[in-house]
């Protein structure tokens, strides 16, 4: 493929007028080292031209610079991978680059006229990403919808005030005097929701979509114990005399003060505890293991295994506002998409054997995220809040 053909096809993709055969030609061009360099130079040139002409807002320029850096990291990673089929690696890099171009509003010059052109989408309706949404269930069973509640004190639980902070977070503050009656609250994020809570001891917990956390409004005794279903990231306030315990499925995670992520969705194959800082002990039935930073304990059925050198950035990408796929299967990708966009996924045909890689911002529309499927010949249609995989 010569430079002129390459440029024409790339612009057709940006305008949403490219055919599937032409997309395949773009992807196949990655087989050639010189063409792969043109991919990198093309995107760098486009972003530089946009910035120079001030044709994009500063925030969008910064996002594109970060995305370009991510692309470069993915390309470098792909060059060092040896166990993955070469074709899959190249297609993953191409998908990352095209997704980057497709998720921005690019201002292109056409027929000597500078006009803003929004990338066309293949679906008539846009499904927005999730956001800060949660329901708090108090000890008496009453419920508060937090995303619509006013800031300030929203409830009392014994001598404890329940407060919605200005930044939308939930916190607990004990009054100077009152009873020590024990109350339990439950914080639930729906599909398409996430929320952050500061527990009574000062520990911080970020809840991913479709997650439930049950906890006391005040910690007492010899331990601090909560129950989790779904996925959450924890930053535990140190207290050597009261270890913090998370019960999730049939697993217990015991800590003193540390940072870790637990993923225990019912529709996933395993329950995973990943340690970022400090140390935790994971107990499953009679088996127990003490994790070091960068390690992950995975419980599947009755078996528990430990993995080392985990990419913790990938594990907590959801907390930092990204999807991060690393050789992820189609069902794995779609489970994450389903929870965040609150959609149902239906497979009308056999599940295609594909692997996906790259980072996508979680504030992208569903249509933009699904473009990565089109690039790997995965066909779908959207009907109301259902994604139907057709082949």
């Amino acid at each position: 493929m010569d430079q002129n053909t390459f440029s024409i096809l790339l612009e057709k993709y940006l305008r949403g007028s490219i055919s599937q055969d032409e997309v395949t030609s773009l992807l196949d061009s990655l087989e050639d080292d010189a063409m792969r360099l043109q991919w990198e130079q093309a995107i760098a040139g486009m972003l530089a031209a946009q910035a120079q002409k001030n044709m994009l807002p500063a925030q969008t320029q910064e996002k594109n610079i970060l995305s370009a850096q991510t692309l470069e990291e993915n390309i470098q990673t792909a060059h060092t991978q040896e166990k993955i089929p070469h074709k899959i690696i190249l297609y993953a890099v191409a998908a990352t680059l095209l997704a980057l171009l497709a998720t921005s509003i690019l201002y292109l010059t056409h027929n000597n006229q500078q006009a803003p052109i929004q990338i066309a989408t293949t679906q008539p309706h846009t499904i927005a990403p999730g956001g800060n949404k949660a329901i708090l269930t108090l000890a008496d069973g009453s419920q508060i919808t937090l995303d619509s509640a006013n800031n300030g004190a929203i409830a009392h639980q014994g001598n404890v005030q329940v407060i919605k902070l200005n930044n939308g977070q939930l916190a607990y503050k004990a009054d100077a005097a009152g009873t020590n009656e024990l109350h339990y609250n439950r914080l639930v994020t729906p599909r398409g929701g996430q929320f952050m809570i500061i527990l009574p001891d000062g520990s911080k917990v970020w809840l991913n979509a479709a997650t439930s956390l049950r906890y006391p409004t005040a910690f007492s005794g010899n331990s601090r114990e909560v129950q989790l279903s779904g996925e959450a990231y924890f930053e535990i306030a140190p207290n050597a005399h009261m270890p913090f315990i998370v019960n999730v499925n049939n697993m217990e995670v015991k800590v003193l003060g540390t940072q870790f992520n637990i993923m225990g969705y019912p529709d996933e194959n395993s329950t995973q505890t990943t340690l970022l800082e400090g140390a935790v002990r994971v107990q499953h039935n009679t088996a127990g293991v003490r994790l070091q930073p960068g390690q992950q304990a995975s419980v599947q059925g009755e078996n528990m295994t430990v993995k080392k050198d985990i990419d913790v950035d990938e594990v907590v990408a959801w907390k930092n506002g990204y999807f991060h796929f690393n050789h992820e299967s189609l069902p794995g990708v779609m489970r994450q998409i389903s929870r965040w966009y609150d959609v149902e996924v239906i497979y009308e045909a056999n599940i295609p054997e594909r692997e996906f890689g790259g980072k996508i911002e979680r504030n992208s529309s569903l249509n933009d995220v699904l473009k990565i499927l089109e690039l790997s010949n995965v066909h779908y249609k959207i009907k109301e809040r259902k994604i139907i995989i057709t082949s």
Side-chain angles (χ1 to χ4, degrees), residues 26-33 35-36 39 90-91 93-94:
L26 271 179
L27 295 174
D28 287 341
S29 70
L30 277 181
E31 292 283 5
D32 180 78
D33 289 338
M35 288 307 304
R36 186 161 60 248
W39 279 82
L90 296 179
Y91 271 44
V93 173

Side-chain angles (χ1 to χ4, degrees), residues 13-272:
Y13 178 84
L14 295 175
R15 296 181 181 277
S17 60
I18 194 170
S19 68
Q20 184 60 54
D21 289 341
E22 289 170 330
V23 170
T24 301
S25 296
L26 271 179
L27 295 174
D28 287 341
S29 70
L30 277 181
E31 292 283 5
D32 180 78
D33 289 338
M35 288 307 304
R36 186 161 60 248
L37 179 61
Q38 289 186 24
W39 279 82
E40 300 178 53
Q41 292 175 340
I43 189 170
M46 285 182 175
L47 296 180
Q50 292 165 4
Q52 183 177 5
K53 295 178 181 180
N54 294 318
M55 301 172 73
L56 288 177
Q59 183 178 4
T60 304
Q61 292 178 22
E62 292 174 1
K63 182 181 74 172
N64 282 342
I65 291 172
L66 291 174
S67 299
Q69 292 172 347
T70 298
L71 170 66
E72 181 64 25
E73 293 172 359
N74 288 343
I75 291 174
Q76 294 300 328
T77 300
H79 288 170
T80 61
Q81 294 286 345
E82 297 180 355
K83 298 181 180 180
I84 305 168
H86 187 59
K87 194 80 169 182
I88 293 178
I89 291 176
L90 296 179
Y91 271 44
V93 173
T96 301
L97 186 146
L98 287 180
L100 164 61
L101 295 177
T103 55
S104 302
I105 298 177
L106 301 181
Y107 288 66
L108 304 176
T109 301
H110 183 59
N111 294 332
N112 296 324
Q113 294 182 355
Q114 294 184 358
I117 300 175
Q118 181 126 23
I119 294 173
T121 59
T122 59
Q123 303 297 337
H125 303 292
T126 297
I127 296 178
N132 282 345
K133 303 174 186 177
I135 295 176
L136 174 66
T137 302
L138 302 176
D140 62 0
S142 60
Q143 295 185 332
I144 301 174
T145 302
L146 295 176
D147 35 303
S148 59
N150 294 327
N151 295 334
I154 58 176
H156 273 82
Q157 298 287 270
N159 68 324
V160 176
Q161 278 189 329
V162 185
I163 303 171
K164 183 182 178 184
L165 304 176
N166 293 336
N167 56 9
Q169 300 171 353
L170 193 67
Y172 287 76
K173 180 181 179 181
D175 292 334
T179 64
N180 292 321
E181 184 180 355
L182 185 62
H183 296 275
Y184 279 90
N185 287 182
R186 184 185 299 274
L187 184 63
V188 177
T189 54
R191 293 162 60 87
Q194 63 182 17
F195 215 81
M196 186 270 197
I197 178 175
I198 303 175
L199 294 175
D201 66 336
S203 296
K204 299 178 181 180
V205 186
W206 287 259
L207 277 65
N208 202 350
T211 296
S212 171
L213 183 72
R214 183 178 183 268
Y215 52 91
T217 57
F219 291 111
S220 61
N222 298 322
S223 64
R224 299 167 287 169
E225 196 161 347
V226 301
Q227 292 181 326
L228 173 71
S229 175
E231 183 171 22
Y233 175 84
F234 294 82
E235 288 185 0
I236 302 304
N239 188 335
H241 302 292
M242 294 180 65
F244 195 97
I245 298 174
V246 182
N247 293 293
V248 51
N249 298 334
N250 294 320
M251 188 173 71
E252 176 186 278
V253 180
K254 186 175 182 180
V255 303
L256 294 176
T258 188
Q259 298 179 23
F260 59 99
N261 190 88
I262 297 179
M263 191 278 292
Y265 286 112
D267 58 350
E268 296 290 349
N269 294 327
S270 62
T271 300
Q272 299 171 354

Side-chain angles (χ1 to χ4, degrees), residues 286-298:
T286 59
V289 62
R290 183 181 177 92
L291 296 182
Q292 300 297 324
Q295 294 183 341
Q296 180 184 87
S298 178

